Amino acid sequence: MTTEVRSLREFKMPDVGEGLTEAEILSWYVKPGDTVTDGQVVCEVETAKAAVELPIPFNGVVEQLFFPEGATVDVGTAIISVAVAGEAGAAPAAAPAPAPAVAAAAAPAVEAEPERREVLVGYGPRTGTAQRRARRTTTATATATAKAAAPAAPVAAPAPAAPVSPVELPAGERPLAKPPVRKLAKDLGIDLRSVTPTGAGGVITREDLHAHAAAQAAPAAEPVVAEAVEAVGTVAAPAPVSGSGDVRVPIKGVRKATAQAMVASAFTAPHVTEFVQVDVTRTMKFVRKLKESGELGRDVRVSPLLLVAKALLVAIKRHPEINAQWDEAAQEIVVKGQVNLGIAAATPRGLIVPNIKDAGSKTLSGLATSLGELVETARQGKTSPADMQGGTVTITNVGVFGVDTGTPILNPGEAAILAFGAVRELPWVHKGKVVPRQVTTLALSFDHRLVDGELGSRVLADVAGLLEFPKRLITWG
């Protein structure tokens, strides 16, 4: 008599191929006992860039959910197990017992067969060799492994800039010093090899370390001060004192990624921001006419942002050098061949910046369609990681919040970002008379390493000129 044999299969947190290492489980769509089919969405997760739904790649019955909603899980970690049907009459394969940690660490490395890694549908696996987190080992195991790998490597801090009378030691020989002295050297950031010993038998003493540190301080006073300031800047701020009614919100997902990106940008690229007020009365009339005529399509949303985007694209076409990136490793400025226009979008999960690929090649109608799809997808929280990669320049529409302007921070890797402020009716000199006109303020931040003041000013002036006289979109474009 044959019987149906079931075995357990685990579905791991997928690798979306964008360099992400973890994701938060937002919601489960299944529970233990539910039947699932190949391609069925079982949960929704949020990475540092987007919320995505995960389809399971096989049929079966849900056995266990390994993590609750709200848990943050590393890529490659099993999140759900499913009982799947096996061959008739076949005995289920017993799960191998985990090997002891010490034995695993001591065993020689064996090249494993390529592992089938789950990937998110539509993205594909990360190219290159996958780097995975090291397995947790006991202290004894880690120590033994470290000693086996480097039996004679001294534990020492980086050498000072100007060592005083360093002692030449044979290769592989460690400087002589007692454990407390070695600890002090590590705390002071001193390489014991650069210290001249005065103790009996060539042993380095505490006094030798203090004398060495004092000698280094004099000729390198300014660098020491700079390092001290840097060290103070890296000290964690004291924890806020909790008060009645305080609410703590975990820093994760999109918020965490945004914070890291903004800090990296603000302290890497020297920002310069320029401002200009412009009469956009004609542009606002043009927007109304496009809406009423339906020339761009019935379902196409027409807004002032569309004209601002088109004006920026035309300005970039006239000054392509601003559509560039700074390549620190190669020490080159890379002028990009196409404009991937980013639109900063505020979502319930935080700020994201999806971009329209090759926006400069699109007609006004095509740009309007792409812009509408981008905004709607962002509002629904369905923006894919691929849509947020490769941006070259960004627009942030702060005007929708009633804000006149700001000093926007560059999206990392980009050379410029344009802030579009609120459109207000203001007194304005028009044809020699002070009359009410619709006016906005534009702010352009740019990376001063690759965009000088003249280039930035010309781009901003062109955008303003196009919005003041939108017919120039035809003559200049």
Side-chain angles (χ1 to χ4, degrees):
M1 177 178 178
T2 60
T3 58
E4 183 183 28
V5 178
R6 289 182 176 270
S7 60
L8 291 180
R9 290 191 64 180
E10 294 180 342
F11 176 52
K12 299 177 180 179
M13 182 65 74
D15 176 359
V16 298
E18 295 292 343
L20 303 176
T21 60
E22 62 184 20
E24 178 189 354
I25 298 176
L26 295 180
S27 57
W28 283 106
Y29 298 151
V30 295
K31 62 183 181 299
D34 287 354
T35 299
V36 294
T37 57
D38 187 355
Q40 178 180 339
V41 173
V42 294
C43 67
E44 182 182 26
V45 301
E46 181 183 32
T47 68
K49 297 177 180 178
V52 293
E53 293 181 329
L54 302 184
I56 198 162
F58 42 80
N59 304 324
V61 177
V62 176
E63 182 75 15
Q64 183 180 359
L65 306 180
F66 294 131
F67 296 94
E69 295 179 353
T72 299
V73 184
D74 292 336
V75 168
T77 302
I79 59 175
I80 182 176
S81 64
V82 175
V84 298
E87 296 181 0
V102 175
V110 179
E111 184 176 356
E113 294 182 0
E115 178 188 5
R116 180 185 183 277
R117 302 191 64 189
E118 316 294 354
V119 295
L120 192 63
V121 175
Y123 297 99
R126 183 181 302 148
T127 57
T129 303
Q131 297 181 351
R132 307 194 66 165
R133 293 173 181 252
R135 295 181 181 272
R136 292 188 177 90
T137 59
T138 62
T139 304
T141 303
T143 303
T145 305
K147 288 183 178 179
V155 179
V164 179
S165 302
V167 177
E168 295 294 333
L169 294 174
E173 185 175 337
R174 301 178 66 185
L176 299 178
K178 295 181 179 179
V181 177
R182 292 185 183 279
K183 183 178 184 306
L184 177 61
K186 184 177 180 180
D187 294 340
L188 295 176
I190 296 175
D191 186 348
L192 289 174
R193 292 178 177 273
S194 67
V195 179
T196 302
T198 61
V203 175
I204 298 173
T205 66
R206 286 179 174 271
E207 290 71 22
D208 296 335
L209 292 180
H210 290 304
H212 182 85
Q216 296 302 303
E222 291 183 5
V224 168
V225 171
E227 291 173 7
V229 172
E230 182 178 354
V232 171
T234 59
V235 174
V241 178
S242 297
S244 176
D246 291 356
V247 177
R248 289 181 174 268
V249 180
I251 303 173
K252 57 185 179 180
V254 175
R255 173 58 60 193
K256 182 177 180 180
T258 300
Q260 293 172 341
M262 292 299 96
V263 169
S265 177
F267 293 98
T268 300
H271 285 54
V272 173
T273 306
E274 295 184 338
F275 309 89
V276 64
Q277 276 192 315
V278 55
D279 177 2
V280 292
T281 305
R282 295 182 180 88
T283 288
M284 299 304 290
K285 289 181 179 178
F286 186 32
V287 169
R288 286 195 296 272
K289 289 181 179 179
L290 288 174
K291 287 181 178 180
E292 293 169 357
S293 66
E295 292 179 28
L296 301 183
R298 290 184 178 180
D299 299 327
V300 175
R301 185 172 182 270
V302 180
S303 69
L305 179 61
L306 171 63
L307 274 297
V308 173
K310 188 62 177 178
L312 178 59
L313 292 170
V314 172
I316 293 173
K317 184 177 180 181
R318 288 163 59 87
H319 307 283
E321 298 85 0
I322 200 168
N323 187 47
Q325 291 180 331
W326 181 272
D327 188 337
E328 181 67 30
Q331 286 295 289
E332 295 175 339
I333 293 174
V334 183
V335 180
K336 307 300 289 185
Q338 63 182 32
V339 183
N340 294 338
L341 180 63
I343 304 294
T347 72
R349 296 188 177 99
L351 176 69
I352 63 173
V353 187
N355 61 77
I356 301 171
K357 300 296 190 287
D358 198 13
S361 66
K362 295 183 179 294
T363 62
L364 188 62
S365 177
L367 184 63
T369 300
S370 297
L371 185 60
E373 293 173 350
L374 178 147
V375 172
E376 185 59 30
T377 302
R379 285 176 178 171
Q380 294 177 1
K382 304 299 182 183
T383 302
S384 70
D387 289 337
M388 291 184 280
Q389 298 295 310
T392 60
V393 67
T394 294
I395 296 175
T396 176
N397 185 10
V398 298
V400 296
F401 305 108
V403 175
D404 290 327
T405 189
T407 54
I409 296 178
L410 294 166
N411 206 28
E414 299 181 9
I417 178 171
L418 178 70
F420 173 36
V423 177
R424 302 186 185 279
E425 192 171 62
L426 298 176
W428 197 262
V429 177
H430 178 66
K431 296 181 179 180
K433 297 180 180 180
V434 177
V435 295
R437 302 285 287 181
Q438 290 179 291
V439 178
T440 191
T441 302
L442 304 174
L444 182 71
S445 291
F446 51 85
D447 185 344
H448 215 349
R449 294 176 300 178
L450 57 152
V451 180
D452 57 28
E454 178 187 7
L455 176 59
S457 299
R458 288 185 181 278
V459 170
L460 184 58
D462 276 4
V463 175
L466 288 160
L467 293 177
E468 185 173 7
F469 299 100
K471 290 182 178 180
R472 290 175 176 171
L473 291 171
I474 300 175
T475 58
W476 289 10

